[in-house]
């Protein structure tokens, strides 16, 4: 075994097949079950894309109506979940609220399966569980933001589709169509991205025949990290540090001297730009115009131009989505929970795919610890200080 045999971070390692999505860095493209994500974001609702990712096909009118009905039936913030969230300190990170909420839902939805072999569920049960989680998460994310603002939760609106209802739950008012459209596009772009760290975490947990909720809880833990989902929140912290476009150059001088990672830039797979960025940037541009915030666009463009020129490292999806969510009015702390609400679709699609063709995921390691030794040679140091 030599160092070159070790693929740290599994960089470049192909570990399994997936039919859910195709990330192609050579063509800088992303296909959801064969459809370019740009086309889906421009024409579909996130509900229709959820059906596509879960089942492999875009829904018929009846299938979409059925999915929408099931999602609406699960929009309410359940008392057990609200009680669990209310136990979490207001100054804990909201990703801990979301992680806890899914854990409570899992305990509720798998109750009675004391034979652990039963927890994994049938394919139909897991499709229903996926739909219920997709329906429940917006109220959980919205409540987390409202409680930190000292506000009570609002009742879901069945006359609104998923994206519009999500914004209603968060802000207690109907969002303008241009805002709903931009938010819907962001949810589609965030929904799925092959074997990213959180999705692979979900597949590892699923490979032991553990249940869907345990896999989603693990995925939430992985997504919280700033090298992964937490980056969209970190982008706003950077924007707040820089302040305005004029300060970018001096700020970058310092940041790069300190060898800081510039959040929202770079990607393990895409090395010449993230295929989703143009679509999300276009959505950000509509929000900049809608809210009349040319200063945001100026700062965004200045930092991108300067960092790409200096390091040749391109923006990822988190770079445009952070400012977009800020303009819509979400607290920065809510950004990564929004990522959870979208990515739960991809996670559960992969969980069901792993269940359908499972093998326990258990890689090898190369040992570089002490050579074999034996306890009789061990003489404890009994001296006292
Ligand atoms: C997501 O995998 C997915 O699909 C994830 C995701 C999804 O949809 O699920 O796309 C979502 O997680 C997007 C990424 C969000 N994370 C960030 O924006 C955090 C900042 N980015 C970096 O930490 C980094 O780019 C990674 C972690 C995303 C990817 O890094 P790699 O591929 O492991 O490469 P690396 O960290 O080894 O970097 C290679 C070089 C290093 O320089 P050297 O140490 O060799 O001199 O490039 C530098 C890095 O320091 N580099 C950066 C940088 N990204 C890479 N330097 C400064 N700022 C950056 N953002």
């Amino acid at each position: 075994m030599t160092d070159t045999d070790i693929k740290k971070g599994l960089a470049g390692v192909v570990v399994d097949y997936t039919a859910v999505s195709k990330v192609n860095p050579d063509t800088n493209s992303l296909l959801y079950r064969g459809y370019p994500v740009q086309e889906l974001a421009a024409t579909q609702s996130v509900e229709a894309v959820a059906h596509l990712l879960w089942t492999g096909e875009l829904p018929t009118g009846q299938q979409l109506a059925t999915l929408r009905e099931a999602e609406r039936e699960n929009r309410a913030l359940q008392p057990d979940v609200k009680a669990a969230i209310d136990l979490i300190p207001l100054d804990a990170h909201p990703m801990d609220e979301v992680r806890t909420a899914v854990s409570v839902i899992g305990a509720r939805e798998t109750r009675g399966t004391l034979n652990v072999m039963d927890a994994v569920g049938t394919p139909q049960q897991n499709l229903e569980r996926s739909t219920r989680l997709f329906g429940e998460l917006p109220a959980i994310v919205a409540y987390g933001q409202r409680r930190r603002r000292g506000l009570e939760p609002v009742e879901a609106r069945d006359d609104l589709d998923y994206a519009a209802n999500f914004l209603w739950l968060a802000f207690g008012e109907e969002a303008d169509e241009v805002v709903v459209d931009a938010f819907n596009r962001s949810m589609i772009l965030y929904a799925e991205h092959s074997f990213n760290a959180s999705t692979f975490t979900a597949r590892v947990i699923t490979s032991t025949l553990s249940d869907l909720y345990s896999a989603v809880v693990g995925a939430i833990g992985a997504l919280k990290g700033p090298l992964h989902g937490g980056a969209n929140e970190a982008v706003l912290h950077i924007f707040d540090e820089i302040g305005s476009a004029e300060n970018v150059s001096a700020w970058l001088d310092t940041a790069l001297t300190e060898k800081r990672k510039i959040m929202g830039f770079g990607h393990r797979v895409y090395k010449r730009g993230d295929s989703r960025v143009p679509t999300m940037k276009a959505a950000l541009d509509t929000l900049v115009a809608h809210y009349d915030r040319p200063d945001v666009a100026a700062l965004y463009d200045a930092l991108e131009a300067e960092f790409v020129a200096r390091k040749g490292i391109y923006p990822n999806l988190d770079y445009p989505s952070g400012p977009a969510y800020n303009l819509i009015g979400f607290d920065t702390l809510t950004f990564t929970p929004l990522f959870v609400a979208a990515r739960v679709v991809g996670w559960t699609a992969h969980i069901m795919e792993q269940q359908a063709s499972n093998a326990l995921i258990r890689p090898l390691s190369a040992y570089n610890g002490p050579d074999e030794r034996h306890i009789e040679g061990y003489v404890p140091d009994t001296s006292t200080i």
Side-chain angles (χ1 to χ4, degrees), residues 18-22 31-34 53 192 203 345-346 349-350 353:
T18 181
V20 180
S21 70
K22 180 178 183 181
L31 305 178
Y32 286 0
R33 301 282 190 184
L53 289 169
E192 157 63 11
R203 290 190 76 125
V345 175
H350 280 273
E353 183 179 66

Side-chain angles (χ1 to χ4, degrees), residues 317-346:
L317 177 57
D318 293 319
Y319 188 56
S321 62
Y325 289 152
N326 176 258
L327 286 175
I328 293 174
F330 286 110
D331 295 344
T332 301
L333 281 171
T334 307
F335 292 5
T336 312
L338 292 173
F339 197 155
V340 172
R343 187 54 59 90
V344 73
V345 175

Side-chain angles (χ1 to χ4, degrees), residues 175-377:
D176 293 334
E177 187 48 44
V178 66
V179 177
V180 174
D181 180 63
F183 186 62
N184 179 68
R185 289 172 189 243
S186 78
M187 290 283 115
I188 290 171
L189 293 170
Y190 265 130
E192 157 63 11
H193 210 241
S194 81
F195 283 14
N196 59 83
S198 55
T199 297
F200 192 64
T201 299
R203 290 190 76 125
V204 171
I205 294 170
T206 300
S207 79
T208 71
L209 295 187
S210 188
D211 66 284
L212 176 142
Y213 300 100
S214 298
V216 171
V217 166
I220 293 170
L223 191 73
K224 178 180 178 183
L227 292 190
H228 188 16
N232 60 8
E233 168 189 328
V235 169
L236 252 292
H237 296 320
I238 284 177
F239 275 33
D240 292 342
E241 275 184 44
I242 298 172
S244 63
E246 303 72 58
N247 304 331
V248 161
S249 195
W251 182 87
L252 258 183
D253 288 340
T254 307
L256 295 180
T257 304
E258 294 167 351
K259 292 209 175 301
R260 285 176 62 177
K261 291 273 201 253
I262 313 305
M263 297 294 147
F265 287 86
H267 200 277
R268 170 61 63 78
V269 180
Y270 295 121
K271 292 306 180 188
R272 292 196 313 277
D274 182 327
S275 67
R276 300 161 294 182
V277 166
T279 304
M280 192 61 221
K281 177 60 170 57
L284 173 59
D285 291 344
T286 62
L287 294 169
V288 163
H290 179 72
Y291 293 106
D292 191 22
R293 289 294 305 276
D295 58 306
V296 172
L299 175 50
Y300 179 102
D301 293 341
L303 179 57
E304 177 185 4
E306 184 96 21
F307 190 62
V308 169
R310 291 196 198 192
K311 298 283 284 186
I313 297 172
Y314 295 87
N316 57 55
L317 177 57
D318 293 319
Y319 188 56
S321 62
Y325 289 152
N326 176 258
L327 286 175
I328 293 174
F330 286 110
D331 295 344
T332 301
L333 281 171
T334 307
F335 292 5
T336 312
L338 292 173
F339 197 155
V340 172
R343 187 54 59 90
V344 73
V345 175
W347 289 335
T348 50
H350 280 273
I351 288 166
M352 291 187 278
E353 183 179 66
Q354 182 74 33
Q355 288 169 337
S357 169
N358 189 39
L360 177 69
I361 298 174
R362 199 282 187 215
L364 296 177
S365 57
Y367 176 73
N368 64 356
D371 292 338
E372 185 173 349
R373 50 184 170 166
H374 297 281
I375 198 66
E376 68 269 20

